[in-house]
Amino acid sequence: MRFLNSCVAIAFFFVLVASPAKTVADIIHNYEFSGSLSDSIGGVTLIPNGGTITSSEYQFLANQGLALQSPRALKSYTLAMRFRFSNVTGFRKAVDFKNLTSDNGLYVSAARLELYGVSGAGPGGAFAANVFSVLALTRNDSTKSVIGYVNGIEQWEFTDNSEVAVPDFTSGVSTFQFFKDDGLGSEASAGAVDWIKVYDAPLSITEIAGFSASVPEPGTVMRCGLVSGWLAVRGWRRRHCSNSAA
């Protein structure tokens, strides 16, 4: 009986350790750019302003880009994408939240990440020309907190009382504009993007870091934990039986 209880306890321990923590955020848009601008989970298709779609990415010239019109109000969310700019000097707009009616927005600013209209830029050297980087932005409407990340590393956290990072919600859609300047295009860059993801709540820093790291699927982690637990129980049983026989 003591052996059975030990087996159950050990197996349960490994299940708990191996099981990934469930996030409260659900993915609502996932664009993989595998030959199309469609949402891989069945949502709205991105709207291009020029540019070229290939089998693995969307390529754009300066002030070309994409529009995402999500059919929901988004005040709390996570936006993440892997992209590159050919020019990271000066101000280069990455994301516009006000449907190109405001200079405010998310910029690559002299190789730094900046949420213009809220506060200053993050550390220098966050971006390099023609090098892919993972940019992530989370917004929590209950606290008004906005956090920016590059390659899984937090760049800044600001309080967004003025809703600078809230996408314009008009006629039932929230609009994100990607890679387009609100002016004449002087603050835009050519480049490419190979995925964009949107979640309906802010992800944790650990989950954000996962975008920039090669991590096993949750099911793989679970299976590894269960196998490890079974091996541990088996080894304990062999030692227990050997000691009993002795």
Side-chain angles (χ1 to χ4, degrees):
M1 185 66 179
R2 289 195 301 273
F3 172 73
L4 178 60
N5 290 339
S6 299
C7 291
V8 173
I10 292 173
F12 183 66
F13 168 78
F14 276 98
V15 168
L16 288 179
V17 171
S19 299
K22 186 183 185 303
T23 177
V24 296
D26 292 319
I27 190 167
I28 56 174
H29 298 294
N30 187 32
Y31 300 97
E32 299 176 338
F33 303 107
S34 300
S36 78
L37 300 176
S38 62
D39 186 342
S40 67
I41 57 176
V44 295
T45 298
L46 293 169
I47 302 170
N49 178 41
T52 302
I53 183 69
T54 73
S55 61
S56 61
E57 63 184 22
Y58 168 77
Q59 301 169 350
F60 50 91
L61 299 177
N63 219 39
Q64 294 181 334
L66 300 163
L68 167 56
Q69 295 184 329
S70 180
R72 62 174 70 197
L74 290 171
K75 290 192 173 185
S76 291
Y77 65 88
T78 297
L79 170 66
M81 62 183 181
R82 186 173 184 268
F83 76 108
R84 59 176 169 83
F85 276 168
S86 62
N87 187 350
V88 296
T89 64
F91 280 86
R92 309 295 162 189
K93 204 166 200 178
V95 185
D96 180 281
F97 304 99
K98 304 304 178 186
N99 211 11
L100 305 177
T101 62
S102 170
D103 202 32
N104 294 338
L106 196 60
Y107 287 82
V108 173
S109 168
R112 305 168 300 172
L113 182 65
E114 179 167 352
L115 183 58
Y116 186 76
V118 177
S119 190
F127 298 93
N130 298 309
V131 175
F132 275 101
S133 297
V134 176
L135 182 158
L137 184 76
T138 66
R139 188 179 191 279
N140 186 329
D141 195 52
S142 64
T143 62
K144 310 302 180 187
S145 171
V146 177
I147 308 176
Y149 304 85
V150 177
N151 296 327
I153 300 173
E154 183 177 326
Q155 304 296 297
W156 36 252
E157 181 175 2
F158 302 133
T159 301
D160 184 24
N161 287 321
S162 300
E163 300 191 343
V164 169
V166 175
D168 177 68
F169 186 70
T170 303
S171 300
V173 296
S174 292
T175 301
F176 294 96
Q177 297 276 359
F178 298 97
F179 320 125
K180 291 182 280 186
D181 181 31
D182 54 279
L184 300 176
S186 59
E187 293 181 340
S189 172
V193 58
D194 69 0
W195 54 259
I196 297 174
K197 302 176 187 293
V198 182
Y199 294 77
D200 63 359
L203 296 177
S204 69
I205 188 170
T206 302
E207 292 165 321
I208 295 293
F211 291 136
S212 304
S214 178
V215 295
E217 292 295 321
T220 302
V221 175
M222 174 70 82
R223 287 192 297 272
C224 288
L226 290 175
V227 170
S228 298
W230 177 79
L231 290 174
V233 171
R234 185 181 181 188
W236 184 91
R237 184 178 183 181
R238 283 180 175 176
R239 290 192 299 273
H240 178 77
C241 291
S242 298
N243 291 338
S244 297

